[in-house]
Amino acid sequence: MDIAFLIDRYFKGADNVSIDVFDAQTLNAVYRDVVKAMTSHFEIEVSVLQALSYCLYEMMDNVHIHSGKPLGTAITHYDRDESSLRILIADNGMGVRASLAGNSKYRDITEAEALKLCLQDSITDGKGMGFGLYTTSRLVDSIGKKFVLHSGSHKLVIEDGMTSVIENGFWQGTLIFMEIGTGREIDPNQVVDHRADAAEEYNESFVETEELESLW
């Protein structure tokens, strides 16, 4: 995977970019390390972290479940001046269209159609619930500045409230990039469509007891 290209394309000019490679065995540990690093930035709203931590795990787990390749890469950067967090999850696996085609229902869809479909609820190749990218898209709707889903020769971009799918270069596998605002309080359970308690899951996993008591 061309990490230098990813840094230049999505994190150009950024200092202290964090890069983590993970597989099925290290996914949980890397996920926890990434979220803990984010919690060290006290300016980030807790509710943003609560929603983001749920979506981040889902995106990383998608690599393990759907890509057909063992490794994924997570790149993150927090910009305090801009109150924004940039996150990229990428793999060099089979890609979105080929993965969805594992479900006979989506066997004949185009690559562009696959990128649009996978952000919808319950769209799956049969190996998962089709919930991860759906919740991520809801987070982007709430506080997103930019979202990119690049797979094969097509790229879906959400920016300024507009969604477009274009032919743009080639990415072997799936690349998900998002930049989100971190200074506004949100409802994390609304992001996950009230089908999980994202706030409680985050608090139990990442907030010390003394800190948790101060939240109330």
Side-chain angles (χ1 to χ4, degrees), residues 5-18:
F5 165 78
L6 295 178
I7 297 295
D8 183 66
R9 177 66 184 81
Y10 293 100
F11 300 86
K12 196 175 187 68
D15 295 322
N16 301 317
V17 175
S18 296

Side-chain angles (χ1 to χ4, degrees), residues 1 21-24 26 63-64 67-73 90-93:
M1 188 176 297
V21 176
F22 59 92
D23 59 16
T26 61
V63 174
H64 166 57
S67 75
K69 290 294 182 75
L71 297 179
T73 299
D91 65 67
N92 62 351

Side-chain angles (χ1 to χ4, degrees), residues 2-13 86 88 146 148 150 155 157 159 166 168 175 177:
D2 191 344
I3 301 296
F5 165 78
L6 295 178
I7 297 295
D8 183 66
R9 177 66 184 81
Y10 293 100
F11 300 86
K12 196 175 187 68
R86 283 181 279 176
L88 185 147
K146 186 172 184 179
V148 176
H150 192 174
K155 180 186 290 187
V157 180
E159 193 169 18
I166 58 174
N168 184 261
L175 181 158
F177 169 81

Side-chain angles (χ1 to χ4, degrees), residues 33-69:
D33 287 346
V34 171
V35 176
K36 283 181 178 179
M38 293 176 187
T39 65
S40 68
H41 300 291
F42 299 111
E43 306 89 347
I44 301 178
E45 280 285 345
V46 172
S47 59
V48 171
L49 291 171
Q50 290 168 334
L52 176 61
S53 63
Y54 187 98
C55 297
L56 178 63
Y57 184 85
E58 291 291 321
M59 288 190 290
M60 293 175 69
D61 197 41
N62 277 350
V63 174
H64 166 57
I65 295 174
H66 303 293
S67 75
K69 290 294 182 75

Side-chain angles (χ1 to χ4, degrees), residues 11-194:
F11 300 86
K12 196 175 187 68
D15 295 322
N16 301 317
V17 175
S18 296
I19 304 169
D20 295 279
V21 176
F22 59 92
D23 59 16
Q25 287 69 45
T26 61
L27 189 155
N28 284 323
V30 170
Y31 161 73
R32 292 188 64 84
D33 287 346
V34 171
V35 176
K36 283 181 178 179
M38 293 176 187
T39 65
S40 68
H41 300 291
F42 299 111
E43 306 89 347
I44 301 178
E45 280 285 345
V46 172
S47 59
V48 171
L49 291 171
Q50 290 168 334
L52 176 61
S53 63
Y54 187 98
C55 297
L56 178 63
Y57 184 85
E58 291 291 321
M59 288 190 290
M60 293 175 69
D61 197 41
N62 277 350
V63 174
H64 166 57
I65 295 174
H66 303 293
S67 75
K69 290 294 182 75
L71 297 179
T73 299
I75 306 177
T76 57
H77 176 258
Y78 174 61
D79 188 323
R80 181 178 286 104
D81 294 334
E82 297 291 331
S83 295
S84 67
L85 186 62
R86 283 181 279 176
I87 299 167
L88 185 147
I89 306 294
D91 65 67
N92 62 351
M94 69 177 69
V96 174
R97 196 211 66 79
S99 176
L100 280 182
N103 184 332
S104 59
K105 195 175 183 179
Y106 309 117
R107 189 164 294 156
D108 298 321
I109 61 173
T110 67
E111 192 169 73
E113 289 170 336
L115 297 187
K116 293 177 183 177
L117 273 173
C118 72
L119 297 184
Q120 298 177 23
D121 189 11
S122 302
I123 303 297
T124 176
D125 58 6
K127 298 175 184 175
M129 297 178 63
F131 194 54
L133 280 175
Y134 171 64
T135 56
T136 301
S137 69
R138 289 172 67 86
L139 178 63
V140 171
D141 286 343
S142 180
I143 53 173
K145 296 183 177 182
K146 186 172 184 179
F147 176 84
V148 176
L149 174 59
H150 192 174
S151 183
S153 59
H154 286 79
K155 180 186 290 187
L156 181 147
V157 180
I158 302 174
E159 193 169 18
D160 298 326
M162 303 292 291
T163 301
S164 60
V165 179
I166 58 174
E167 284 195 68
N168 184 261
F170 183 82
W171 182 263
Q172 176 59 55
T174 303
L175 181 158
I176 304 168
F177 169 81
M178 65 177 173
E179 181 175 3
I180 60 172
T182 60
R184 181 165 64 83
E185 188 174 356
I186 60 174
D187 180 353
N189 291 337
Q190 188 276 333
V191 169
V192 299
D193 209 11
H194 297 282

